Amino acid sequence: MEVLKYLIFEYGYFGIFIALVGGIIGLPVPDEVLLLSIGYYAYLGRVDLLTALISSYLGSIIGITISYLLGAKLGLPFLLKYGPKFRLSHTRISKAQQLFSKRGSWLLLIGYFIPGIRHIIGYLAGISRLNFKIFMIYSYIGAFFWVLFFVLSGYELGIRWYFIKQSFETYKFLIYFTVSGLIALAAIFFFFRRKGKKV
């Protein structure tokens, strides 16, 4: 947490931008905690809310675009070789590939909110040669809502943010599991609903 605080106050909006680029690419940056912190510091008046939102958004879309380009240029062997060094295990990559083959561009839209997917989905989109315009539309919209949700959550929580942050750190895996489960249930529901209409 102190590292994030130092990054924000020492390097300002550029620090926020770089941290989000690195986090999306796969560096060990706690993205959600960073965005919540940004919102909280905006609430305290230490950073400007709009500028912080723009910096966070630009960092997110530049990060996932770099991932896409690396995937398109270097392919799956690059991801398998260097992924584990950036918290992207072979198991996680394999699961993400399966999801991407089923959901494709829609996964770019919601992938930011799914643990383990945010850091891989850009690479997979590039590896599969997904049309760049489609990639931009879905991933950039997804990034917008992801950044907006977490930064504004940190801002709105205000004085209660410290206690929420502690709870988030303690129960983050439970939160991730719950959110992932809800998204999975929604996807299954719409899949069978669509399938039922075709019959």
Side-chain angles (χ1 to χ4, degrees), residues 18-31 63-64 66-67 70 79 82-89 92 116-121 123:
I18 292 298
L20 265 299
V21 169
I24 297 299
I25 289 173
L27 295 178
V29 177
D31 302 317
I64 201 166
I66 291 172
S67 298
L70 286 173
L79 187 57
Y82 295 102
K85 296 180 181 179
F86 297 98
R87 304 180 303 165
L88 308 177
S89 67
R92 185 180 289 183
I117 297 296
R118 177 171 63 253
H119 310 101
I120 302 176
I121 192 64
Y123 292 104

Side-chain angles (χ1 to χ4, degrees), residues 121-135:
I121 192 64
Y123 292 104
L124 295 180
I127 290 166
S128 66
R129 303 288 179 176
L130 180 69
N131 181 277
F132 189 64
K133 287 183 179 178
I134 293 174
F135 163 78

